[in-house]
Amino acid sequence: MGEPGREEYKIQSFDAETQQLLKTALKDPGAVDLEKVANVIVDHSLQDCVFSKEAGRMCYAIIQAESKQAGQSVFRRGLLNRLQQEYQAREQLRARSLQGWVCYVTFICNIFDYLRVNNMPMMALVNPVYDCLFRLAQPDSLNKEEEVDCLVLQLHRVGEQLEKMNRQRMDELFVLIRDGFLLPSGLSSLAQLLLLEIIEFRAAGWKTTPAAHKYYYSEVSD
């Protein structure tokens, strides 16, 4: 409770009525339609990549509040159902809006990062998250800097957790990433730099060595 304003800034981009809905969901979840709240959060996450990076914390807070107040999980069920719907239509989403697709991957990884069952990541999200990252590692995605950037950012965020849940799939993902880096498929110099950085990041035990930090981040800032 030491950060009273922490949730506030993440809902400023909503209209006044929706802000009130979300504030109520955080404080008194039984007083609102939590399935509607889940849909509002997902809809906004697909349109606003800044919000999609932070939405996991809000979802976690609503889940905790509902569990404490009523011992139920209406919001979590609604959230996971909607994530599954969007996951099943992910190719259509990517074809329709590259930004929406990148926002969705950011959002599902954020949810994976925050939601816990018995202090463990949710098994139900492991393969969908992997499938999204595999899609980002396909040659046509590696030619788009927005998708490379998203892939690398999400692996920085949840790669270590994902590997603990399924190492074989992480090995397979990095075969794709290495192939993408090595094949002369028209990658931009920034995309090559980002892919090399994440390969070395994983090889170092999901840590950035001081030398790597100096090399990559001086290159990116240049």
Side-chain angles (χ1 to χ4, degrees), residues 156 174 177-178 181 193-209 211-213 215-216:
H156 270 277
F174 270 79
I177 290 172
R178 278 192 293 271
F181 173 75
L193 193 71
L194 289 169
L195 293 179
L196 184 58
E197 189 271 337
I198 198 64
I199 290 167
E200 293 195 358
F201 183 71
R202 184 194 181 210
W206 301 102
K207 294 181 178 67
T208 301
T209 64
H213 188 277
Y215 175 73
Y216 290 109

Side-chain angles (χ1 to χ4, degrees), residues 85-95 101 104 128 131-132 135:
Q85 288 171 21
E86 297 296 338
Y87 164 76
Q88 289 169 342
R90 62 194 181 281
E91 282 298 336
Q92 295 95 308
L93 172 62
R94 183 178 178 272
W101 157 240
Y104 174 73
D131 289 345
C132 289
R135 183 65 187 86

